[in-house]
Amino acid sequence: MAMHGLGKVTIGVPNPAETIEYYSEFGLAHLGDGRFATRDGGEQLQVVHSPLRRLVELTVAADDRDDLGSIAGRLTALGIPSEQDPTAVCAVEPVTGTRVRVVVRSRISVEPPVPPTPYNGPGRIDRWGRAPFLSRTEPVRPRKLGHAVLGSTDLAATMRFFVDGLGFKVSDYMGEKAAFLRCSVEHHNVLVLAAPVNFMHHTSWQVDDIDEVGRGAQAMLEGHPERHIWGLGRHYAGANFFWYLKDPAGNFSEYYSDMDTVPEDDLWSPAILEGLQGLYAWGPPPPPSFLEPDDLAALMTGAHSTRG
């Protein structure tokens, strides 16, 4: 696969100062001016002002310049204009208005490699004494940006942009309501939802293991129970552990670990997941506000007034 993951997300919010403070607490390193870095991925988030919360820009990482030329050609075949220079090709997804930049960027590597967490299992002892996670006292810091989820008023058109234009692959479908798309070996890097209004649902940030998912969420909820949305649980699609929180602008942010991977040369048949299977394997049931965020009606009103 020419592409190898997400490079960065830029989110627009009406309250940048509060949102910047939130993502600093979330464990991302604030570089200044609303720009944030992960432990292994470098700069991967930027918070900017926008009248309505939205996904302003999504950066996708590619291996070399030849990949950029191929993408530009496919976009042209779809009738989607693009801009290209030696290091990037840029285009606007025509339904949601999200600007997508595919840039030549080195693959993320973890130096030194993270040692595996020892867990005991049925009939298997991998560790002795007290569990080592008990000694973890440092704040949780995400390793990298994993995926972004956006709602689209035209699911088929947005999928064409990502799949036929950029070259994403379909991993699974959530009935006829959503598609999990990947541009790396991870199960999904973009999830597109059918929605009554174009909006950003959530961004997802990888941590080392399930204990880091729980520790990160617990720290974020101390003194701020209103941030809790959904978790702890495990998804069926992707099989990752998850916990969702809400930032001050209304966007959800997810700690996740243990995502399914798809080797680049493997044959993979997308499944059509129906009902709860498309949402989770175990955990508390998703609240209505996760499936339909509380501000959707306000976003629709704002979008209509902006256009009119």
Side-chain angles (χ1 to χ4, degrees):
M1 180 179 287
M3 298 178 292
H4 53 83
L6 297 188
K8 180 180 174 182
V9 287
T10 299
I11 61 175
V13 299
N15 51 347
E18 291 177 81
T19 306
I20 288 169
E21 182 178 355
Y22 172 92
Y23 285 102
S24 297
E25 292 183 44
F26 190 78
L28 303 180
H30 190 205
L31 306 175
D33 300 323
R35 298 176 299 109
F36 290 88
T38 57
R39 293 177 69 179
D40 300 322
E43 185 178 334
Q44 295 206 281
L45 171 67
Q46 185 168 7
V47 176
V48 300
H49 180 266
S50 172
L52 300 172
R53 67 178 184 90
R54 60 184 294 260
L55 179 59
V56 175
E57 185 172 272
L58 184 68
T59 300
V60 180
D63 283 323
D64 54 50
R65 296 180 183 180
D66 291 342
D67 301 326
L68 304 182
S70 298
I71 291 168
R74 291 196 298 269
L75 290 170
T76 298
L78 292 176
I80 298 173
S82 64
E83 304 170 0
Q84 185 177 357
D85 62 38
T87 61
V89 59
C90 305
V92 175
E93 196 284 306
V95 180
T96 64
T98 301
R99 180 176 174 86
V100 179
R101 299 176 67 247
V102 183
V103 302
V104 175
R105 178 171 173 167
S106 299
R107 297 195 175 213
I108 293 176
S109 60
V110 180
E111 297 292 343
V114 179
T117 304
Y119 289 112
N120 291 336
R124 172 175 54 78
I125 298 176
D126 288 344
R127 62 172 176 80
W128 299 91
R130 298 188 188 277
F133 86 90
L134 293 171
S135 64
R136 300 178 190 175
T137 58
E138 72 283 357
V140 170
R141 288 194 57 204
R143 289 280 177 182
K144 69 173 184 177
L145 169 66
H147 56 270
V149 178
L150 64 157
S152 169
T153 56
D154 190 335
L155 175 61
T158 300
M159 280 189 62
R160 278 196 300 273
F161 175 85
F162 280 100
V163 176
D164 298 334
L166 301 185
F168 279 62
K169 296 181 180 180
V170 179
S171 294
D172 287 312
Y173 296 95
M174 192 185 298
E176 298 180 350
K177 299 178 180 179
F180 297 88
L181 311 177
R182 69 184 187 276
C183 62
S184 73
V185 297
E186 290 204 322
H187 178 270
H188 58 280
N189 302 104
V190 168
L191 170 60
V192 183
L193 306 167
V197 62
N198 301 315
F199 75 105
M200 190 181 83
H201 188 274
H202 74 265
T203 56
S204 187
W205 305 87
Q206 186 188 63
V207 295
D208 287 340
D209 56 29
I210 187 173
D211 291 310
E212 296 297 87
V213 172
R215 287 204 319 119
Q218 182 180 36
M220 289 295 288
L221 294 175
E222 289 180 356
H224 293 280
E226 76 282 356
R227 291 173 171 173
H228 172 72
I229 293 298
W230 185 29
L232 172 72
R234 190 166 197 173
H235 286 302
Y236 185 96
N240 50 296
F241 298 106
F242 67 81
W243 200 315
Y244 293 90
L245 305 161
K246 184 166 69 172
D247 74 21
N251 305 298
F252 301 146
S253 57
E254 176 190 16
Y255 290 116
Y256 83 94
S257 69
D258 195 25
M259 175 79 74
D260 278 346
T261 57
V262 185
E264 294 186 23
D265 56 354
D266 247 27
L267 296 177
W268 177 276
S269 298
I272 300 176
L273 308 175
E274 300 288 355
L276 295 179
Q277 203 178 40
L279 292 170
Y280 70 121
W282 58 257
S289 60
F290 180 82
L291 303 175
E292 294 187 10
D294 295 334
D295 64 349
L296 275 193
L299 289 173
M300 292 177 70
T301 302
H304 294 162
S305 63
T306 300
R307 291 173 185 170

